[in-house]
Amino acid sequence: MRIVRPPEFKRTTGGFVATEEALESKGGIGRAWANVRRVLIGRRLATAEEHSERVSKRIGLAIFASDNISSSAYATEETMRVLALAGVGAVAALTLPLTVAIVVVLAIVVLSYVQVIKAYPSGGGSYVVAKENLGVVPGLVAGSALLVDYFLTVSVSVAAGVAAVTSAFPDLHAVRVTFAIALVVLLTIGNLRGIREAGNIFAAPTYLYVLGVFGLIGIGLWRVLAGDVPTAPPPIQPFPPEGMQPLTLLLLLRAFASGSVALTGTEAVANGVQAFKKPEARNAQIVLIVMGSLFALIFLSISFLATSIGIHPDESETETVLSLLARSLVGTSWYFYLVQFSTALILILAANTAFNGFPRLASIMAVDRFMPRQFAQRGDRLAFSTGIVALALVSSFLIVIYDASVTGLIPLYTVGVFIAFTLSQGGMVRKWLRDRSRGWQVGAVINGAGAVATGVVAVVVGISKFQVGAWMVIAILPVLVAMLYAINRHYRSIEDVLLIAATAPVRVQPTVPRVVVPISRIDRASLRALSIARGLGGEVHAVHISYDTEGAAAFKRRWESVVGETIALDTIISPYRALMPPLSNIWTRSTGVVPDGRSSWCSPSSCRGTGGKLCSTTRPRCC
């Protein structure tokens, strides 16, 4: 038999290469859908083009650091909102000290992750570090915690971006959920186009926010230091000045935990090292340090200016603290709207960090067979499309459930990421002590400090936010770990059956198949299936299931008049109207064996058209 090369294929050494034309649908609806995909996502990219999808430090900072940098827009506010429960005095006195404490923890985490990138330049972050140094279960806990954190990153970032828009345009507050879902859809489409193109699209808003906020900070510092302190605009719905509860240690810890949301996104750079151009690890480390420095400057400055001017949070969440700060410094001028616009953009695009981190982490876990293998496959644009779509769906669900409320989502946030931080740093300490490579003492000290700091924060966040939502994250982590472990066990059981040892001799021997053809009615599809079954040789059994005795007898007479006795027919009466269980049981009873690799199932529904289709399986089922 000679294979004729179709025009959609190119000849290469030892075979053929399928061109993009070979993937095009021949039907009208299929071609229309392909055109829509091409407009939304772009042309298909070949695997060899993967190197061109890598990003520079400038684009990488916008992609992987947008989550962390954007947290500066609401980290101060989340701290103040908790302190406001104890009165205006607590807000004025404790906001800045808590900000300094959070920045110190951030510095420790950044330095720790610089060590992680150095030790694991292939990426993977907390999941890989914990799995390789602490064991499979700690690795799965770290991975599960990060997966949950990425879901919440998208939800919180988009909700915060919508809050920035509604601060400038309060009339949009009523449609904030619909607005947020539409933004998630746009982010999904942008990321399905590939990481490089998504970076080019989303880089400008990140740098616009940084420049806009630094300009605002410059104006504020100049006026405060010059003694020209502006008047703080009143919030739409202020907290009671005297407070609603006493200032307790638990309230203080809760304020610290709420502000610690600022540390989210630090992990993303370590997960995405291989997305950078060469030298990958060096570029990722530079981006991580720049990211931490930018965030620390903005966070400290906003907290200092807000407390110096006397700004207080809005209990109704209609206007943000950053919006109140901008209004106090520049009024409602064009610069106010520039700051609000850039803030809204970076908060929305901060979700882009999760859209890059989640699919990459999921792909690594899928390669390790802890997640479905579809998460490891790249789409048309070399993006991990399954992970992107899954992230969008779950995040949209959270936005709807929590009515796009940042305050409602924040209690779920951070606890997972600090658990992952702690396991990662603990794993690095174990690695340094085991390997004792060059500089291991310094590395062990840095990562040890990181493990202690993030461990303390994880406990603080878990305790202080337990009753307001953190319990859900803590409760779901064991469930996710069990699910991931079950997926891995499933894949390993299949591998044990199918794997061929590298040294084992392989003999391909002819096997006479047993073919079962389920027949619902006698028509052209059924006859086609019977023809294919007989062509395979071996035993052929036709099986018909009827719901009553009369129907079975009528079908038997019809079979004898059309097909005759060339193929035996077994009829099954199923009074409870079940199809597959009786079919599977009659197969096992009639043959006396459990179906194995010699069993073939020929379904008439899959034999329509010109080619027909056969499916071999380890269990009798329709294919």
Side-chain angles (χ1 to χ4, degrees), residues 547-596:
Y547 295 155
D548 52 53
T549 306
E550 293 78 8
F555 189 87
K556 186 83 171 178
R557 290 193 297 270
R558 171 70 172 162
W559 178 268
E560 292 174 352
S561 64
V562 175
V563 180
E565 298 180 356
T566 54
I567 298 177
L569 172 69
D570 293 321
T571 57
I572 303 172
I573 299 174
S574 179
Y576 300 104
R577 297 161 305 283
L579 294 177
M580 291 308 299
L583 200 57
S584 178
N585 275 284
I586 198 67
W587 169 269
T588 303
R589 299 294 183 186
S590 62
T591 58
V593 295
V594 176
D596 54 27

Side-chain angles (χ1 to χ4, degrees), residues 72 99 104 137 162 164 171 204 267 272 372 387 405 428 495 523 531 555 604:
S72 61
T99 299
V104 170
V137 173
V162 171
D171 292 341
E267 162 78 14
S405 170
M428 284 299 299
E495 183 180 20
D523 56 14
S531 299
F555 189 87

Side-chain angles (χ1 to χ4, degrees), residues 54-66 69 196 198-207 210 275-277 283-284 286-288 290 294:
R54 299 203 172 197
V55 297
S56 62
K57 294 188 289 291
R58 179 179 62 85
I59 300 297
L61 181 65
I63 293 175
F64 292 104
S66 57
I69 293 175
R196 182 179 60 84
N200 291 332
I201 295 172
F202 301 143
T206 302
Y207 290 106
V210 171
F276 289 91
K277 293 181 178 179
N283 289 337
I286 293 173
V287 166
L288 184 60
V290 172
L294 287 175

Side-chain angles (χ1 to χ4, degrees), residues 370-569:
F370 287 108
M371 290 189 72
R373 56 185 175 81
Q374 289 82 359
F375 284 91
Q377 298 171 354
R378 294 180 183 265
D380 289 347
R381 299 285 297 178
L382 297 176
F384 296 105
S385 303
T386 302
I388 292 172
V389 174
L391 177 63
L393 292 175
V394 176
S395 302
S396 298
F397 175 75
L398 291 173
I399 289 172
V400 172
I401 291 297
Y402 284 90
D403 202 28
S405 170
V406 177
T407 303
L409 288 163
I410 283 293
L412 307 179
Y413 211 16
T414 69
V415 61
V417 74
F418 277 106
I419 291 173
F421 284 169
T422 304
L423 291 171
S424 171
Q425 302 313 309
M428 284 299 299
V429 172
R430 178 79 178 272
K431 175 180 173 58
W432 293 125
L433 295 177
R434 183 183 66 242
D435 295 349
R436 296 181 180 270
S437 56
R438 182 179 179 182
W440 70 271
Q441 297 97 333
V442 176
V445 170
I446 293 174
N447 291 121
V452 172
T454 55
V456 170
V457 176
V459 173
V460 168
V461 172
I463 294 174
S464 62
K465 293 189 174 185
F466 187 83
Q467 292 184 337
V468 292
W471 67 270
M472 287 187 282
V473 177
I474 296 173
I476 201 173
L477 287 181
V479 178
L480 284 177
V481 170
M483 288 176 58
L484 297 176
Y485 201 84
I487 291 171
N488 181 259
R489 187 169 62 248
H490 168 72
Y491 280 126
R492 283 189 286 113
S493 65
I494 294 177
E495 183 180 20
D496 291 342
V497 174
L498 301 179
L499 189 64
I500 300 175
T503 58
V506 178
R507 297 182 180 88
V508 180
Q509 299 177 344
T511 301
V512 178
R514 294 188 299 271
V515 186
V516 172
V517 185
I519 303 292
S520 61
R521 67 178 186 177
I522 301 175
D523 56 14
R524 293 184 184 276
S526 300
L527 295 178
R528 174 67 174 164
L530 292 170
S531 299
I532 294 175
R534 292 196 66 186
L536 291 173
E539 304 175 37
V540 179
H541 295 266
V543 179
H544 173 72
I545 295 181
S546 181
Y547 295 155
D548 52 53
T549 306
E550 293 78 8
F555 189 87
K556 186 83 171 178
R557 290 193 297 270
R558 171 70 172 162
W559 178 268
E560 292 174 352
S561 64
V562 175
V563 180
E565 298 180 356
T566 54
I567 298 177
L569 172 69

Side-chain angles (χ1 to χ4, degrees), residues 134-160:
L134 300 178
V136 173
V137 173
L140 292 181
V141 172
S144 300
L146 286 174
L147 294 177
V148 172
D149 179 68
Y150 283 133
F151 290 137
L152 292 167
T153 294
V154 176
S155 305
V156 172
S157 298
V158 172

